[in-house]
């Protein structure tokens, strides 16, 4: 077995890890009314359940998840902006912004995500992108970067447009990235927020439209949406016992029931298992022309997998290294790949790195190697 790389590779070892979880009664597959939906583990990205996950559909105000990502990644939340006529006149759900008034970026983000303000979406898009069309081009570029390849945005708010659509799978990928931004996670988990009226300077409260924040234990986001074309839509997330799952529901007649069923299924029927630690030694690889003939090989990151609870599963780990590693070899240089399978399915992979610097047999390399060993000698005494 091998993988595509600049150099040939070969298998250096396979580890089989038998995992026996506590027995329990499975709750069965969720019964979901939505036309298309998906359930994904936030930490590992594993798809736990899906129904027509790649169908392209209107997504209404779920669009604002991407809008918030770009604002958070490209602006100072303590800055402010002046609302344009175009932003004020945007139809649909609104913060009721007034043209010419100045609002804080942070307040507009809360209005965007809690009240689903289309006017806030346009104001923020103009501020970050310089214009709405330019901001929309950033949205599409970001979607491509995140692997959301069946998504096209035409505006920053989600009002109906012919070339504005996504899929449940793509929205899960976008949301997974969004939730990795601490400010976004705080924003969408908020039941309410206090924002400042720009005229009198008085604070007033706004409330989140996401009912799950009050009705489902562990719910911590994310966004509701509705248009006639899209139907009732929701991206929901919840966390319990250090696990978080994301449910995306598009065109869901029984929206809240669907969300609760999916979140419960993901949290109760699966668990995450750490199979390798970052920096953990997995073996050695041969070095051509080095002062040392071998280099230790370590994993580049903590490697987690998501597996079903209440069942017996076997995970296999394969280690591949480049067949010809030539000196000099720098510390942390990539030298191979680790793959994790559950049965025949690939569930995770990570890079393998050189755990030491290996100098070449030339004079300079020998001097560097001698200096390294001298430092190690002093450190150990």
């Amino acid at each position: 077995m091998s993988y595509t790389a600049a150099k040939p590779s070969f298998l250096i070892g396979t580890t089989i890890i038998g995992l026996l979880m506590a027995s329990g009664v499975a709750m069965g597959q969720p019964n979901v009314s939505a036309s298309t939906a998906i359930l994904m583990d936030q930490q590992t990205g594993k798809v736990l359940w899906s129904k027509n996950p790649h169908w392209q559909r209107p997504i209404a105000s779920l669009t604002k998840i991407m809008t918030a990502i770009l604002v958070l990644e490209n602006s100072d939340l303590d800055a402010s902006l002046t609302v344009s006529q175009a932003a004020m006149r945007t139809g649909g759900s609104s913060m009721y912004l007034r043209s010419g008034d100045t609002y804080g970026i942070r307040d507009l983000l809360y209005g965007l995500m809690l009240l689903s303000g289309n006017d806030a979406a346009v104001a923020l898009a103009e501020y970050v992108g310089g214009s709405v069309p330019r901001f929309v081009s950033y949205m599409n570029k970001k979607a491509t970067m995140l692997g959301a390849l069946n998504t096209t945005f035409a505006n920053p708010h989600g009002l109906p447009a012919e070339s504005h659509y996504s899929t449940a799978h793509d929205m899960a990928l976008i949301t997974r990235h969004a939730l990795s931004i601490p400010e976004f996670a705080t924003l969408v988990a908020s039941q309410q927020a206090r924002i400042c009226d720009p005229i009198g300077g008085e604070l007033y409260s706004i409330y989140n439209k996401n009912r799950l924040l009050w009705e489902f234990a562990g719910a911590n986001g994310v966004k509701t949406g509705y248009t006639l074309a899209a139907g009732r839509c929701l991206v929901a997330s919840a966390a319990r016992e250090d696990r978080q799952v994301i449910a995306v529901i598009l065109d869901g007649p029984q929206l809240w029931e669907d969300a609760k069923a999916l979140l419960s299924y993901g949290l109760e029927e699966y668990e995450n298992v750490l199979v390798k630690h970052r920096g953990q030694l997995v073996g050695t690889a041969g070095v051509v022309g080095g002062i040392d003939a071998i280099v230790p090989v370590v994993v580049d990151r903590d490697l987690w997998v998501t597996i079903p609870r209440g069942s017996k599963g076997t995970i296999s780990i394969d280690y591949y290294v480049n067949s010809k590693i030539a000196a000099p070899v720098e510390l942390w240089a990539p030298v191979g790949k680790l793959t994790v399978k559950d049965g025949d399915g690939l569930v995770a992979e990570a890079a393998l790195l050189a755990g030491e610097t290996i100098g070449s047999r030339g004079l300079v390399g020998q001097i560097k190697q001698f200096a390294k060993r001298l430092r190690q000698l002093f450190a150990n005494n």
Side-chain angles (χ1 to χ4, degrees):
M1 292 182 285
S2 63
Y3 69 97
T4 302
K7 297 179 180 179
S9 60
F10 61 95
L11 179 67
I12 61 170
T14 299
T15 301
I16 305 295
I17 304 177
L19 296 165
L20 179 62
M21 280 66 70
S23 62
V25 178
M27 65 183 291
Q29 294 286 317
N31 184 19
V32 172
S33 70
S35 298
T36 169
I38 198 168
L39 179 68
M40 180 178 287
D41 185 90
Q42 163 67 11
Q43 182 178 17
T44 65
K46 179 178 175 64
V47 174
L48 309 178
W49 181 94
S50 65
K51 177 182 179 181
N52 303 320
H54 302 293
W55 277 11
Q56 293 176 335
R57 286 196 51 81
I59 54 171
S61 287
L62 304 189
T63 300
K64 294 174 177 123
I65 296 171
M66 178 61 85
T67 301
I69 289 172
L70 291 176
V71 174
L72 287 165
E73 292 182 341
N74 296 281
S75 63
D76 177 1
L77 299 190
D78 295 322
S80 58
L81 63 83
T82 300
V83 177
S84 69
Q85 287 276 351
M88 182 187 72
R89 292 173 178 169
T90 308
S93 56
S94 180
M95 277 187 74
Y96 302 103
L97 301 178
R98 296 178 292 266
S99 173
D101 286 351
T102 300
Y103 291 81
I105 301 300
R106 193 184 306 273
D107 284 354
L108 288 173
L109 276 169
Y110 276 100
L112 177 80
M113 298 304 289
L114 273 63
L115 292 178
S116 201
N118 294 337
D119 49 357
V122 172
L124 290 166
E126 291 175 336
Y127 175 76
V128 173
S131 68
V132 169
R134 184 177 296 173
F135 185 84
V136 169
S137 72
Y138 296 160
M139 296 173 74
N140 287 313
K141 288 177 183 177
K142 187 71 175 182
T144 300
M145 290 173 60
L146 295 176
L149 305 181
N150 290 309
T151 296
T152 300
F153 294 108
N155 59 58
H157 39 64
L159 289 174
E162 184 177 350
S163 57
H164 193 97
Y165 53 82
S166 187
T167 68
H169 180 264
D170 281 7
M171 288 308 306
L173 293 179
I174 291 168
T175 303
R176 186 177 178 226
H177 172 75
L179 287 169
S180 73
I181 305 170
E183 295 89 348
F184 182 92
T186 299
L187 180 70
V188 298
S190 302
Q191 293 181 339
Q192 64 174 345
R194 300 271 286 170
I195 64 178
C196 181
D197 186 290
I199 294 181
E202 299 165 342
L203 294 176
Y204 63 97
S205 296
I206 61 173
Y207 297 88
N208 203 317
K209 294 183 177 183
N210 183 358
R211 284 171 37 186
L212 293 177
L213 298 178
W214 288 269
E215 297 179 359
F216 188 85
N220 57 8
V222 175
K223 187 73 189 72
T224 60
Y226 173 78
T227 62
L228 283 174
R232 302 174 72 195
C233 302
L234 176 67
V235 175
S237 66
R240 294 178 193 167
E241 300 177 356
D242 297 325
R243 282 195 65 238
Q244 183 169 5
V245 294
I246 300 165
V248 181
I249 301 161
L250 305 181
D251 187 27
Q254 297 177 320
L255 188 70
W256 305 109
E257 293 81 359
D258 288 352
K260 291 173 184 177
L262 287 171
L263 295 175
S264 295
Y265 179 74
L267 292 170
E268 296 171 15
E269 294 298 304
Y270 289 86
E271 68 175 340
N272 290 351
V273 175
L274 179 64
V275 295
K276 289 293 176 183
H277 294 278
R278 180 176 181 267
Q280 183 173 345
L281 180 69
V282 299
T284 60
V287 178
V288 178
I291 292 176
D292 289 333
I294 59 173
V295 60
V297 176
V298 301
V299 184
D300 75 329
R301 60 186 175 88
D302 287 346
L303 199 59
W304 293 81
V305 295
T306 305
I307 56 176
R309 296 182 190 267
S311 63
K312 190 174 182 180
T314 302
I315 291 176
S316 63
I317 303 174
D318 289 339
Y319 313 91
Y320 304 85
V321 297
N322 297 335
S323 58
K324 291 185 179 180
I325 302 173
V329 179
E330 297 294 331
L331 178 67
W332 312 134
V335 295
K337 188 175 185 178
L338 178 151
T339 63
V340 183
K341 292 183 178 180
D342 187 359
D344 293 329
L346 178 68
V347 294
E349 58 186 15
L352 295 178
L353 308 179
E356 288 184 5
T357 297
I358 305 296
S360 62
R361 291 175 185 163
L363 179 60
V364 174
Q366 293 181 40
I367 293 172
K368 288 182 178 179
Q369 192 77 354
F370 175 77
K372 182 185 79 171
R373 290 177 176 172
L374 195 62
R375 287 194 299 270
Q376 292 174 341
L377 179 64
F378 283 123
N380 294 330
N381 289 284

